[in-house]
Amino acid sequence: MKLLFSNIKELLQVREEKILKVSGTDMKELPSIKNAWLLIEDDRIEAYDSMDNPPDIEVNEKIDASGKIILPSWCDSHTHIVYAGNREQEFADRINGLSYEEIANRGGGILNSAKTLQETPEEEVYKQSAKRLEEVMKLGTGAVEIKSGYGLTEEAELKMLRVIKKLRENYELPVKATFLGAHAIPKDYKERPQEYMDLVINEILPKVAEQELAEYIDIFCEKGYFTVEDTHKLLSAAKEYGLKPKIHVNQFNAIGGVKAGVEHNALSVDHLEVMNDEDIEILKNSDTMPVALPSCSLFLSIPYTPARKIMDAGLPLALATDFNPGSTPSGNMNLVVSLACIKMKMTPEEAINAATINGAYAMELSESHGSITKGKKANLIVTKEIPSYTFLPYAFGTNSIDSVYVNGKLV
Ligand code: NIG
Ligand code: FE
């Protein structure tokens, strides 16, 4: 099946050579072809060029993309899409003056979602999660990472991971699974947190690995949650099972999570709302991708990740949604890209690089996703007729997407 898009106003993120990520000042460059055509064959990108060199081939279908921009679909490398119920009451409580921390200390927050998830049948969790996944695919997400972490018991953590596996089997887009058993300390373990760590490391982790339910390991390294020492212990144990770290660090406090992540060769360190100079230094000379989650900052009214400081230090940066019921009940990558420009002073070029190729890197998908490159998966966003790609982040809250393709198939 050959599908040809012609008269494309601009084809974005065209990378002749396969690159894994873009860093520092290179993020300011967004290579493109104006007035372009793009040929896809089955699930792959077959060829592209300027309309000045028109393709001379027979195709099954032609689409006129006059006035429209085509770019690779968003790569959302940090989500908690699998959950049960919602936490809109906590949202109202926060409006009325309680802080996220106060709500958590009262047994709300992650523990609230864990209780709901434990009580919800697996089929129902799947149904609720699949609906969210379909929603974000229509918003242009073409690759996604999903974490466990609202189970907090062996049974419920494995249940979450089986739901992630089923989503991967039933949907076209790549779905990466991360085991986040160390997301919060359950109420019963409040006085003996080390015993919960032992449960995660000695009981749940081996089963996750044995049943091949996750490729990555995560921990919420934060005051009131898990320590740097816990982080070292968990990441060392997970390494034995071949699980790479992608960890929650520096959301509210800089306690040394970035250093711990880099020491364990983390694929990514995520959140980073609070960064000190030492954290930036440590990330230099590492292969770890810093990941910012601006819609979490918006929803919780917490600082935004210092994107300029990170990129100006020559580092790469990825953008993701953090879609979850507590701190970010939104999986809209278009909003994330807008917020990155508006609140983090990223240029549109930097934000699009961060949400495509660098997001792919943070899921080990940049060989196959994140750019318009011959042989890569045909995961595409086709915009409506818009004046320029800068219009995408500029017209925040406007849906500028006309259609989305995953593996060459219309979503
Ligand atoms: O990434 N920070 C830790 N975990 C999630 C939020 C958890 C929740 O409130 O349910 C996050 O923001
Ligand atoms: Fe998160």
Side-chain angles (χ1 to χ4, degrees):
M1 168 75 187
K2 285 188 165 82
L3 167 60
L4 177 70
F5 295 93
S6 55
N7 302 314
I8 305 164
K9 184 181 179 109
E10 192 164 1
L11 182 62
L12 292 190
Q13 189 63 303
V14 180
R15 304 273 178 180
E16 277 298 314
E17 273 173 41
K18 276 193 184 168
I19 54 158
L20 295 181
K21 60 179 174 187
V22 276
S23 308
T25 50
D26 290 347
M27 288 185 71
K28 293 184 194 299
E29 302 293 323
L30 187 65
S32 75
I33 303 174
K34 288 192 171 136
N35 192 25
W37 56 267
L38 169 68
L39 175 68
I40 63 181
E41 181 164 4
D42 301 323
D43 62 340
R44 304 260 162 199
I45 294 168
E46 182 62 26
Y48 42 80
D49 205 337
S50 154
M51 290 299 289
D52 297 340
N53 303 311
D56 179 22
I57 38 160
E58 289 283 308
V59 296
N60 307 81
E61 194 187 342
K62 278 186 188 168
I63 294 177
D64 180 9
S66 292
K68 298 173 178 178
I69 289 172
I70 296 185
L71 65 155
S73 55
W74 307 127
C75 295
D76 189 355
S77 67
H78 181 137
T79 85
H80 309 248
I81 278 182
V82 170
Y83 60 82
N86 282 291
R87 305 217 304 264
E88 67 270 28
Q89 186 50 50
E90 293 181 7
F91 172 59
D93 292 343
R94 279 199 299 113
I95 295 168
N96 286 317
L98 284 182
S99 71
Y100 182 74
E101 198 183 1
E102 282 163 342
I103 290 165
N105 290 342
R106 290 175 163 201
I110 297 168
L111 297 186
N112 181 0
S113 287
K115 186 169 180 288
T116 313
L117 189 122
Q118 289 161 11
E119 290 165 355
T120 307
E122 189 163 331
E123 251 322 294
E124 177 60 24
V125 177
Y126 176 82
K127 228 173 89 188
Q128 294 181 17
S129 307
K131 195 171 156 212
R132 282 187 284 270
L133 187 62
E134 287 178 19
E135 182 199 332
V136 302
M137 287 173 76
K138 290 201 180 86
L139 291 168
T141 296
V144 72
E145 179 258 16
I146 309 177
K147 302 169 192 299
S148 70
Y150 290 120
L152 308 184
T153 64
E154 178 181 317
E155 190 193 334
E157 281 295 308
L158 294 176
K159 175 164 90 180
M160 285 189 79
L161 290 166
R162 283 193 301 270
V163 169
I164 300 173
K165 185 176 177 206
K166 202 166 153 199
L167 291 170
R168 178 186 307 126
E169 288 163 357
N170 291 348
Y171 289 88
E172 285 280 341
L173 81 175
V175 174
K176 295 282 187 154
T178 301
F179 172 47
L180 176 56
H183 195 190
I185 295 156
K187 210 167 81 213
D188 294 351
Y189 289 87
K190 205 172 170 209
E191 303 307 324
R192 44 193 182 106
Q194 275 319 305
E195 285 181 37
Y196 184 63
M197 275 313 288
D198 291 343
L199 177 79
V200 169
I201 292 174
N202 302 326
E203 304 295 331
I204 315 182
L205 175 63
K207 295 194 177 86
V208 170
E210 193 182 299
Q211 295 172 38
E212 296 182 30
L213 288 172
E215 43 255 284
Y216 303 121
I217 184 77
D218 195 351
I219 183 167
F220 188 15
C221 180
E222 181 59 58
K223 279 185 192 163
Y225 293 84
F226 296 92
T227 64
V228 170
E229 203 189 324
D230 294 332
T231 305
H232 279 297
K233 246 169 98 177
L234 178 69
L235 301 193
S236 302
K239 194 176 179 190
E240 301 295 314
Y241 295 104
L243 301 190
K244 282 193 195 171
K246 282 175 66 64
I247 61 176
H248 282 74
V249 295
N250 294 42
Q251 183 176 6
F252 302 108
N253 299 281
I255 60 169
V258 172
K259 184 160 180 264
V262 169
E263 279 171 12
H264 288 271
N265 233 323
L267 179 60
S268 69
V269 285
D270 303 25
H271 270 291
L272 314 178
E273 288 87 342
V274 182
M275 287 289 269
N276 56 37
D277 292 343
E278 196 202 345
D279 292 320
I280 306 257
E281 279 311 307
I282 287 159
L283 282 165
K284 291 180 185 172
N285 304 315
S286 83
D287 293 324
T288 300
M289 176 65 70
V291 179
L293 311 166
S295 43
C296 175
S297 298
L298 173 74
F299 193 71
L300 293 187
S301 301
I302 60 174
Y304 286 82
T305 301
R308 283 259 59 90
K309 205 170 157 188
I310 291 171
M311 294 182 302
D312 292 348
L315 293 169
L317 185 67
L319 289 165
T321 63
D322 199 18
F323 197 174
N324 76 73
S327 72
T328 325
S330 160
N332 190 338
M333 281 294 284
N334 307 286
L335 175 65
V336 164
V337 169
S338 278
L339 288 173
C341 296
I342 299 164
K343 305 299 276 188
M344 294 159 67
K345 299 278 178 274
M346 292 176 77
T347 65
E349 295 78 13
E350 288 169 335
I352 292 171
N353 275 315
T356 56
I357 188 71
N358 284 359
Y361 178 92
M363 296 185 273
E364 294 180 292
L365 285 173
S366 39
E367 290 278 350
S368 53
H369 294 78
S371 67
I372 303 294
T373 302
K374 200 171 171 240
K376 280 199 178 183
K377 291 284 186 182
N379 287 15
L380 312 167
I381 294 171
V382 182
T383 71
K384 295 175 181 161
E385 292 190 26
I386 55 173
S388 73
Y389 63 78
T390 299
F391 188 83
L392 292 173
Y394 159 81
F396 77 97
T398 295
N399 184 0
S400 297
I401 296 180
D402 170 276
S403 47
V404 177
Y405 291 80
V406 172
N407 285 349
K409 294 189 186 121
L410 185 66
V411 173

